[in-house]
Structures are given as structure tokens and as C-alpha cells.
Amino acid sequence: MNNRDCITGKSLSRNDLIELLSLENPEEIEQLRKNAENILLSERGNQVYFRGLIEFSNICRNDCYYCGIRKSNNKVKRYSLSEKQVVDAALWCAKQGYGSIVLQSGERNDSEFVDTVERLVYVIKEKTVSAQLPDGLGITLCVGEHTFETYKRFFAAGAHRYLLRIETSSEDLFSRLHPQTQKIQSRIDCLKYLKEIGYFVGTGVMIGMPGQTIESLADDILFFKKTGVDMIGMGPYIPHSDTPLGEKEPSGYNNLLLSLKMIAVTRLVLKDINIAATTALQALKHNGRELGLRFGANVVMPQLTPKEVRKEYMLYDGKPCTEESRDDCSVCLKKRILSTGRIISLNNWGDRVRMGNDQP
Ligand code: 5AD
């Protein structure tokens, strides 16, 4: 497969994906980037959508070997924001014209947690209906694995998008990243439930983990395609020193470059989906998120988590933007986006438009 031909619409084989992800020559990588950017511009235009990110609790029942807020990390001070703090952040977001929020937290499945999330969604919806946003803020949930019934309750309360990263589509690697109690099949089942209920569904992976291969990343892209996702949030793996994986030898990949190639190749395969330029890109390079946009991403997630608790949501070492206020983040991100020649779409949910045959 010639890199120059990959824009022609021919469907890419697994070998093509491996070849593209393995590119090292800067000119060829630039060609890949341009192809991805051109596809994005022709399929979706040059708008960038905001999703205000509210990390409302770092309490987690899981013990993922890579994650800084894993249950066993007792150096973390655990917090849960009050309903007022979350709703205030959402209202600030609506006032800025961001259009959408993501409510993210560590994973809990007790009934108090489920009730809290349901209520948050309901209250935020109710309070953000306006002339600019006739259906209120678009709400994405990112609160982990739940039962079909729980997902239905969240949907009925008004959440219409759900993000659940598969982390890797390789069963073998997944089992080396998580304790025995966490199963890849259970996540796959959850993604199925979410689609069936009617959510816009997002997933994603970490890129450049110890033991991960280019072949496995190519399979991840094929997994996104097979699952029929509407959105992708993926980024570089970055070690956290208080985790078991953080002590392992690094993979040896340039995780920033590999993540940018993943974004571009995913855009070539899934032309019209939403792809986020995630914060982790910026942890590796000051302009990492802008690079993400230039390689085919079209969504950014400004930080709305109150400053007092941001440092307690350290998924990996060196997470950026923990000192800035909401206003700082807003001004900074707008500048960053405009520097890439794109425009910011305000008061807009910015969903992918589904075609007839990919309705859930
Ligand atoms: N490096 C990069 N991303 C991480 N995440 C968790 N730990 C790390 C890490 N060490 C990501 C996971 C999770 C999301 C909320 O954060 O992909 O799904």
C-alpha cells in the first residue's frame, strides 16, 4: 500500500495499517498527516468541538496496573465533588458556549454512586436548557463498567454519549494490565449494551505500553471499526511511579509520535468519527494537543475540574494543566486551536452524523 494512495478510499488491510503505523521517514509521516487532515476536512469540516471535562471523583474499586488512581495507591487523597460543585462547573461550561461536558470518575458500582450519577445528569440537563442549547448540554459519561439496567437509567436521565476505553484489544495484553477480576469480555459486553441502548459510543486505547506491539495497535483500529464506534479517545501511555506498570521497562517506542500516527491511521479508516486530541499528548510535548488536531483529531477536552482537587486525579506522572484555572484553560486552548488553522464550534454538541445503516 502506497502511503500516497491511502486517501483514495480503498479499504486498508491489516498489513497496510501495520505499514502506516511503522513509518519512520519524516516526509512519509507528513504525507500520512496530510492525508488524515484532508479526510477530516472533507468529511467533517474544520470545526473543533469542546467537551468540558469534570473529574468528579477519584474513588475507584479497580486496581489497573498502569493507573495512578488505582485502589491500592494509598498516597492518593480520595475526593468526591459535591453536586453543587459539579453543577456549577457544568453551568460555567454552558456559559462559555462549550456545548458538551464529560463526567468522568473512578469506577464504583454501589447504588449510592449510580443514584448520584443519574441525578447529576438529570439536574445538569434541566438547568442547561436555553435558547442557545435547546436540549441542554450534551452529556458524555465516562464512569466505567455497569449493568445494562444502569446504563439505561443514565440514558433515560439524559446522557447520550458514553466513553469506555478498551485500553487494548489484545486479550493477552489486557490480562497483563489488569487483575484477574477484570475481564476484556466484560468491557466488550458493556460496549454492546451501550450501543444497543442508543448511546453514541466511544472507546480507545493507551499507546506504547510495555509489551504492546504495532500489530496489536493495528488490531485495535480494526476493533474500533468492528465495534462501530462513534468516537475515540486515545493517547500515549505515560508511566506513573506509584503503579506496578510504572516500574517496568518502557516499550522503547516514541509514544508521542506513535500516538499521532494512531490518530491519523484511525482517521483514514473511520473517516467521519470524532477523535479527541487528549491531554496526555500535551504531557509529552507542550503542543501535543495541537499536533493531535493536525493529525486528524477534532475534539478537545478542556479541564473543568476544580483546581483544589486536580492534583488528586493524576492518572500518570506529569499530567499537565493541574495549576491552571478554568478560565486559564479556556483562553489557552482557544489560542492553541486557532494556531492550527481550525475554528471552534460553540453551542453545538458536535456529534457524528449517523448514516441509515449504522443506527444502533
Ligand atoms: N498513561 C496514560 N493514560 C492512562 N490512563 C490511565 N492511566 C494512564 C497512564 N498511566 C487512561 C486510561 C483510562 C483513562 C481515564 O486514562 O486509558 O481509561
Side-chain angles (χ1 to χ4, degrees), residues 113-160:
F113 178 79
V114 172
D115 291 349
T116 303
V117 174
E118 182 183 41
R119 196 179 143 74
L120 281 174
V121 171
Y122 185 82
V123 172
I124 290 170
K125 270 285 168 194
E126 196 182 46
K127 293 201 172 180
T128 55
V129 172
S130 68
Q132 288 86 4
L133 284 171
D135 295 310
L137 280 174
I139 302 181
T140 307
L141 287 179
C142 182
V143 296
E145 292 181 27
H146 291 279
T147 60
F148 185 84
E149 287 67 35
T150 298
Y151 285 145
K152 268 193 108 158
R153 280 175 57 188
F154 295 159
F155 191 74
H160 83 288

Side-chain angles (χ1 to χ4, degrees), residues 66-68 104 165 167 206 236-240 315-316:
Y66 46 84
C67 182
Q104 189 184 97
R165 288 191 182 181
E167 313 297 359
M206 283 177 290
Y237 162 70
I238 302 171
H240 186 296
L315 304 171
Y316 45 83

Side-chain angles (χ1 to χ4, degrees), residues 64-69 104-105 142 164-167 187 204-207 209 233-240 243 245 280 313-317:
C64 310
Y65 299 153
Y66 46 84
C67 182
I69 64 166
Q104 189 184 97
S105 72
C142 182
L164 181 66
R165 288 191 182 181
I166 192 79
E167 313 297 359
R187 253 180 227 201
V205 294
M206 283 177 290
I207 298 155
M209 290 180 282
M234 62 186 168
Y237 162 70
I238 302 171
H240 186 296
T243 59
L245 203 69
Y313 210 89
M314 281 285 185
L315 304 171
Y316 45 83
D317 290 336

